Amino acid sequence: MIETRALAKRYGRGGPVLAGVDLRVAAERVALIGANGSGKSTLMKCLIGLLPLSGGSVEILGERFERVPSAAQRVALRQRTGFVFQSHSLVKRRSALSNVVHGMLGASGSWRAFCQATAPSAWRARAMAALSDVGLAERALERVDTLSGGQQQRVAIARALVRRPELLIADEPAASLDPKAGREVMELFVRLCQDHAITLLYSSHDMAHAVAYSDRVVGLAEGRVRLDSASAAVTAAALEASFEIAHG
């Protein structure tokens, strides 16, 4: 699914954020951990071309690029990859259904994904199925700003799922939620990825989330991979000592 070779990234004339990351991700669930500033978010954005590389290469879903993906590669990656941001990035005054339909933006005729009222019936049906998957079908026509934080994150997950991706990337998906809602969101990620055979790569500051919901834990420090282990073999003490990960 993903392979990076000597991936490097720096901003302007500052020091490197990523200083040669070698990483392979197969059909599995991988938790990416590291202290603040270790480059977790930067790495995820580099993988899908949201940030240009300063060095090295990325191969993701068969698309290989060095600095930035080509326009054709961007289209291919957008069609096959879902991305969930920590901040939800929803249009708060629109309905849950319209926000999920926004996940079709970039597809052929995607101007019709502006809202659910203009979307083709097939897209609305897919969006409703995605909302059903996250347990929010009955809230489909409610404005997003009337929903709780956990429900808004579920809408964001549904938006990422509406394209039926092969790969789902989630940047700190539970960080803005209370502990109960955070656990529910992570359990939902695991269930949906299993049900739909989706590879999951997510970042987390929560040691319990990193271990409990993944098959493998990868730790970043000083711009490089410093830990790569099966989740079952990772100890809490090692994580806290090396990567400043918090208890859940």
Side-chain angles (χ1 to χ4, degrees), residues 3-247:
E3 182 172 7
T4 70
R5 296 185 179 181
L7 192 160
K9 175 62 181 175
R10 68 173 65 234
Y11 295 99
R13 297 183 179 180
V17 178
L18 302 174
V21 172
D22 295 312
L23 175 66
R24 297 186 70 184
V25 176
E28 56 189 332
R29 292 168 296 155
V30 177
L32 186 64
I33 65 170
N36 288 334
S38 61
K40 302 186 298 299
S41 295
T42 295
L43 173 58
M44 290 180 159
K45 291 175 181 177
C46 286
L47 292 179
I48 58 174
L50 291 179
L51 291 174
L53 313 186
S54 301
S57 65
V58 169
E59 183 168 343
I60 178 169
L61 298 170
E63 304 288 344
R64 186 181 183 280
F65 60 92
E66 292 187 346
R67 181 166 170 76
V68 294
S70 67
Q73 286 176 319
R74 286 180 185 275
V75 171
L77 292 175
R78 184 174 177 84
Q79 291 175 341
R80 301 171 65 192
T81 306
F83 202 107
V84 178
F85 297 91
Q86 177 181 337
S87 61
H88 314 317
S89 299
L90 302 173
V91 182
K92 299 295 182 67
R93 294 187 177 185
R94 292 200 175 272
S95 68
L97 182 57
S98 287
N99 272 276
V100 176
V101 167
H102 290 169
M104 299 303 296
L105 290 170
S108 178
S110 64
W111 65 268
R112 301 178 70 184
F114 177 72
C115 70
Q116 63 90 13
T118 59
S121 58
W123 289 4
R124 286 198 301 274
R126 284 172 63 163
M128 281 301 302
L131 282 169
S132 180
D133 279 343
V134 301
L136 287 177
E138 74 284 356
R139 310 293 295 272
L141 298 181
E142 296 182 26
R143 281 177 35 154
V144 163
D145 57 8
T146 68
L147 304 179
S148 70
Q151 289 169 333
Q152 289 183 27
Q153 188 66 305
R154 287 170 180 259
V155 173
I157 294 170
R159 182 185 56 193
L161 290 176
V162 74
R163 285 181 177 273
R164 299 169 183 166
E166 299 165 53
L167 171 67
L168 185 60
I169 297 176
D171 187 11
E172 300 276 0
S176 62
L177 305 177
D178 64 65
K180 182 177 182 293
R183 289 192 298 272
E184 290 174 349
V185 162
M186 293 310 303
E187 289 165 2
L188 180 65
F189 268 117
V190 171
R191 177 176 64 78
L192 292 175
C193 288
Q194 289 175 336
D195 289 349
H196 298 288
I198 298 171
T199 296
L200 174 63
L201 173 65
Y202 67 95
S203 62
S204 182
H205 269 104
D206 189 307
M207 183 264 297
H209 288 182
V211 173
Y213 302 113
S214 69
D215 303 307
R216 184 170 146 224
V217 176
V218 172
L220 293 181
E222 299 176 341
R224 291 184 171 85
V225 174
R226 299 299 189 189
L227 171 73
D228 190 342
S229 174
S231 301
V234 175
T235 66
L239 289 181
E240 290 186 57
S242 300
F243 300 100
E244 300 177 23
I245 305 300
H247 283 291

